Amino acid sequence: MRELFAGLFMIFFSLPALGQSNGDPNFFAPPLDIPMILSGSFGELRSNHFHSGLDIKTQQREGLPVYAAADGYVVRIKVSHYGYGKALYLQHPNGQSTVYAHLQNYAGAIQDYVKTNQYRKESFQLELFPEKEQLAVKKGDLIAYSGNTGGSGGPHLHFEIRDANSRPMNPMDYGMEIPDNRPPLINSLIAYPLSDSAHVNNLTKAVKIQLSRQSNGHYIARTIKAAGEIGFGVSAYDQQDGASNKNGLYQVITTRNGSPLFEIKFDKFNFNETRYINQYVDYAYWKKNRSRVQKLFRENDNPLSLLKTQGNDGTIRMEQGYSEMVKIICSDKAGNEVIIDVPIEYSSGLNLNIPDKTIQGELIVSDQGTALTKGKFSLYFPAGSLYENSDLDIRAKGDTIILDKDQIPVHKNITVRMDVSAHPEEDRSRLYLGRLSPSGKPYYQSSTLENDKITIKTRTLGTYVLASDEVPPVIQPLNFRDGQWVSKNKTLSLKITDGKSGIGSYRATINGEFALMEYDYKKNRIVYNFDDMVSSETEQKLQIEVVDNVGNSATFEATIYRKQQ
Ligand SMILES: [Zn+2]
C-alpha cells in the first residue's frame, strides 16, 4: 500500500510535465538532418534586439530540406523582402510553436498554398494565417527548403521555439543539443563608477581593467582601487564545436565575497522587451569599439526578464576600509565556464576629475515628453524615449538637423518635422529627410509629407538632412534580351537599382496578366519563374514598372518568345 501510494504520488506530480516539451527532451526534433553547427545562438546580442532563436549553419548551401520539429499545423506564413524573408510558423498541440526563417522556398502543399495566394493578392510579400488543420504536419515532415532570404547575411536556417505566450525560448533548453567543449572567451572587463564622485582607479568614467590569464584558463583582474557605487561589464563570446562563429553566452553570474550579486540567463524573453538590449549593453562603447559590453547590473530599473537578479541590482558600494572579491562566472549551455576574479580595495581617490554636470545643450528628461524647435525643425521626444536624463547637442543648420551623435540609445520614436514651405509645392513630393551616413550619403528614412511639412520618426540619434530624388530607378535584364527566344530559360532575371531614395515597389505583367517576381534586395534582383505559367502563348510581352521611395517610376518592356511545351 505504501509503495502504491508513492507510485501514485509520483504519477500525480509528473503529470504537469506531460505534454510540455521541457518534460520531454525528445518533443522537438532538429529541423535539419545535418550536424547542428551554429552561426548564432539564442539571446545573442544583436543590434536593437536579442537573437530570438538558433542560426543553424547549412554548409554554405541553400535548398536543404527543413523538417517539422514536432506534430502540428501551419499557423502563419510571412513572405517579406526584409527581416525573416520567407518564414513559416508551426503551432504544436502543447501550446508551443516553432519558427523557420530565411527559407528559400516552402515545400509541397504549403508552397502551393503560398503561390496561390501570391497570385490571388498579386503580391510577392504577404502574410497568411491558414485555418487550423488546413496544413497539418507530422513531426519530421518536409515543410520547406533552407535559404538566405530577407535580412540573412549567408545561407542558414533561423529556428525558434516559442512558448504558449509567443515568448521565444532557448531551443538548447528544449532538446536541441549542440556539442561544445570550449569555455567562453573574454574580450574585456570594464568597471563603471556609478554614483556621483564614485571612482575606479582614480577615474570617474568607465575604465578597462587589465586581466591576466591563469594556467587553468581563468582570469585574475589587477586589483581595483575604488570608492562609491561601482559596477562591472564584460565583453565575452562563446564558440561551439565545429565552427569559429562568435556566439552568445548562456549565463553570467557575479558574486561578491561568495554571495550572489547578479545573474543574467538567456533562457526566454518577451519580444516587447528585446529593445532594452540598448540599455543593457554599453551603447556608446559598442558604437565606438564595435564590441558589445554587457553590464552586469540592472540600470535604471531595466525591466528585462533575462536579468534574474532580484533585490540586489548588481552594483557594489565601496566604503572606507572595505576590500571585496568579485567573481564573474561566464558559462555556456554545456556548462563550460570561464571565471574572472576581481579584487577591489577602497581608495578615497586623489584630485578626482568630477564631470561638469552643467547643461551644455538640451536637457531631455527621460520620463517627460519634450518639444523643441530649432530653425526649420520641430522635434518631439516622448516620455521614455531615452533611458536616462540626457544633455543632448541639438542644432539646426539650414536644411540639416544635428541630433547629437548615435552614442546614446533611444527607446521610443522621436518625431522630427521640417518646414519645407521654401520649396515649390510641385517639388515637395520628391523630398525626404535622410540620415547622414559616415560617408556623407543621406540614407532614406520613411518620410510623410503633409502640406508644407515633412515628418520622420526615428530611434537613432545623428545628423539628418533634407534630400531630393528626381531620378527614376534603372531596370536591366540579366538573362534575356528584347525579341529573343527564351525557350530554355527557367527564369527571367533583372537587376533593379535606384541611386538615391531606393526601391519602393515593383509590378510585372506578362501579356497583361500579373506575373510574380521575387525580389532580393541584397542582389538588387527580381526573378520570374516560368513554372508559374502566367502565359502559354509563344509571344510574351513582359512589362515591369519599378517605383522608388519618393514616387519616381521606370518602366521596362520586352517581347520574348517561347516554344509551346
Ligand atoms: Zn537568426
Side-chain angles (χ1 to χ4, degrees):
M1 188 62 205
R2 199 186 179 94
E3 273 183 42
L4 178 61
F5 183 79
L8 279 171
F9 191 84
M10 281 190 59
I11 289 167
F12 182 79
F13 278 91
S14 58
L15 267 177
L18 289 176
Q20 278 186 16
S21 56
N22 52 346
D24 173 8
N26 297 317
F27 185 87
F28 291 113
L32 296 168
D33 59 4
I34 56 169
M36 292 275 274
I37 298 176
L38 302 186
S39 57
S41 62
F42 181 86
E44 194 169 293
L45 313 172
R46 301 270 176 98
S47 285
N48 306 318
H49 69 285
F50 293 96
H51 190 232
S52 53
L54 300 180
D55 284 345
I56 308 166
K57 289 166 84 97
T58 51
Q59 308 175 335
Q60 285 90 46
R61 290 184 292 155
E62 296 184 36
L64 271 57
V66 175
Y67 304 103
D71 290 1
Y73 60 93
V74 178
V75 67
R76 179 183 178 204
I77 291 164
K78 190 171 181 192
V79 178
S80 169
H81 298 148
Y82 309 103
Y84 282 2
K86 292 185 186 174
L88 180 69
Y89 298 73
L90 295 185
Q91 180 66 52
H92 305 294
N94 66 356
Q96 296 171 341
S97 55
T98 49
V99 184
Y100 312 78
H102 307 306
L103 302 168
Q104 180 189 59
N105 255 317
Y106 305 95
I110 304 171
Q111 171 70 0
D112 294 343
Y113 176 79
V114 173
K115 261 278 155 81
T116 303
N117 277 283
Q118 285 173 319
Y119 272 93
R120 185 176 295 155
K121 293 170 195 273
E122 302 200 344
S123 172
F124 170 54
Q125 297 195 97
L126 47 63
E127 188 169 15
L128 301 166
F129 300 93
E131 294 294 313
K132 189 180 177 180
E133 311 301 340
Q134 192 175 355
L135 294 167
V137 297
K138 286 279 171 205
K139 184 178 186 173
D141 278 359
L142 176 67
I143 50 173
Y145 298 94
S146 72
N148 187 30
T149 54
S152 172
H156 76 278
L157 176 70
H158 172 97
F159 174 67
E160 290 180 23
I161 302 178
R162 297 182 182 179
D163 74 4
N165 297 311
S166 298
R167 286 175 294 204
M169 310 190 291
N170 194 332
M172 289 198 220
D173 287 338
Y174 293 83
M176 297 298 135
E177 283 191 26
I178 316 294
D180 184 352
N181 288 292
R182 288 179 284 182
L185 291 115
I186 306 293
N187 287 323
S188 48
L189 174 69
I190 307 290
Y192 297 90
L194 297 170
S195 54
D196 289 346
S197 81
H199 77 90
V200 172
N201 294 344
N202 230 34
L203 293 167
T204 53
K205 57 180 174 56
V207 184
K208 191 167 176 171
I209 304 298
Q210 202 176 317
L211 299 175
S212 56
R213 193 166 195 269
Q214 308 299 294
S215 55
N216 59 8
H218 299 305
Y219 291 87
I220 296 179
R222 176 184 279 191
T223 302
I224 292 172
K225 315 263 190 194
E229 194 183 2
I230 65 168
F232 291 97
V234 68
S235 164
Y237 60 94
D238 188 48
Q239 292 181 314
Q240 283 102 15
D241 294 359
S244 58
N245 297 77
K246 295 181 174 179
N247 298 331
L249 306 176
Y250 180 66
Q251 189 178 37
V252 184
I253 290 175
T254 66
T255 64
R256 169 198 197 172
N257 300 332
S259 309
L261 185 64
F262 173 86
E263 180 184 358
I264 184 164
K265 189 173 180 183
F266 296 97
D267 54 354
K268 169 161 132 173
F269 61 88
N270 203 318
F271 280 107
N272 66 19
E273 60 183 5
T274 195
R275 199 175 173 88
Y276 284 100
I277 191 170
N278 289 336
Q279 185 180 22
Y280 176 61
V281 303
D282 184 333
Y283 192 82
Y285 191 92
W286 155 243
K287 290 292 163 179
K288 284 182 213 156
N289 304 297
R290 305 316 281 178
S291 160
R292 289 187 174 95
V293 173
Q294 25 188 327
K295 289 184 273 193
L296 306 175
F297 50 94
R298 189 191 292 271
E299 200 171 23
N300 295 332
D301 300 320
N302 188 333
L304 259 185
S305 63
L306 294 164
L307 306 181
K308 307 302 179 189
T309 306
Q310 275 168 5
N312 203 325
D313 63 2
T315 63
I316 299 164
R317 180 165 286 280
M318 290 303 296
E319 286 171 37
Q320 193 152 14
Y322 279 38
S323 77
E324 309 273 350
M325 177 61 87
V326 167
K327 234 181 227 303
I328 300 168
I329 305 148
C330 301
S331 48
D332 59 27
K333 177 62 188 172
N336 303 298
E337 287 181 349
V338 59
I339 300 171
I340 311 173
D341 281 325
V342 191
I344 317 166
E345 285 172 6
Y346 173 80
S347 152
S348 62
L350 288 167
N351 305 320
L352 291 179
N353 187 9
I354 309 287
D356 181 7
K357 292 264 172 100
T358 328
I359 302 298
Q360 309 280 329
E362 298 290 344
L363 176 67
I364 308 297
V365 177
S366 146
D367 60 2
Q368 289 174 13
T370 306
L372 294 170
T373 305
K374 296 276 173 189
K376 297 176 186 170
F377 295 88
S378 55
L379 309 168
Y380 185 68
F381 291 78
S385 53
L386 303 183
Y387 296 110
E388 55 186 4
N389 298 348
S390 303
D391 179 7
L392 299 186
D393 175 18
I394 299 178
R395 283 171 287 151
K397 281 192 234 163
D399 290 345
T400 300
I401 179 87
I402 298 164
L403 303 176
D404 211 298
K405 286 196 283 288
D406 180 22
Q407 290 187 356
I408 296 166
V410 176
H411 193 75
K412 287 187 188 163
N413 274 321
I414 300 166
T415 303
V416 180
R417 184 164 293 146
M418 184 187 175
D419 184 326
V420 293
S421 54
H423 294 261
E425 212 171 325
E426 62 272 22
D427 295 348
R428 288 178 199 159
S429 68
R430 300 291 182 259
L431 298 174
Y432 62 97
L433 271 171
R435 183 168 183 278
L436 213 58
S437 70
S439 65
K441 200 182 164 216
Y443 184 79
Y444 176 79
Q445 306 283 305
S446 179
S447 308
T448 55
L449 174 72
E450 232 178 304
N451 302 322
D452 52 2
K453 305 265 194 308
I454 285 189
T455 306
I456 59 164
K457 289 183 185 293
T458 181
R459 290 192 289 189
T460 310
L461 296 180
T463 300
Y464 291 81
V465 301
L466 185 71
S468 104
D469 181 0
E470 318 280 341
V471 185
V474 176
I475 310 168
Q476 299 161 281
L478 292 170
N479 66 345
F480 67 98
R481 290 189 315 274
D482 186 21
Q484 197 179 23
W485 280 86
V486 291
S487 305
K488 287 189 177 137
N489 280 29
K490 284 186 162 35
T491 63
L492 292 175
S493 177
L494 301 97
K495 186 177 177 182
I496 58 172
T497 52
D498 187 75
K500 290 186 92 177
S501 63
I503 302 294
S505 64
Y506 62 92
R507 184 186 157 82
T509 56
I510 293 174
N511 292 344
E513 298 289 326
F514 170 79
L516 177 69
M517 299 204 88
E518 305 208 351
Y519 174 49
D520 180 344
Y521 77 94
K522 290 172 290 188
K523 293 181 178 158
N524 301 311
R525 196 166 292 180
I526 49 173
V527 176
Y528 166 73
N529 195 319
F530 278 111
D531 289 344
D532 291 0
M533 286 287 289
V534 169
S535 171
S536 53
E537 303 287 318
T538 302
E539 184 181 283
Q540 305 197 359
K541 283 193 192 313
L542 173 68
Q543 187 176 53
I544 302 171
E545 187 188 22
V546 181
V547 184
D548 69 16
N549 277 311
V550 297
N552 299 299
S553 86
T555 303
F556 171 88
E557 284 177 333
T559 303
I560 48 171
Y561 300 91
R562 234 174 127 73
K563 225 180 277 161
Q564 292 193 30
Q565 276 129 356

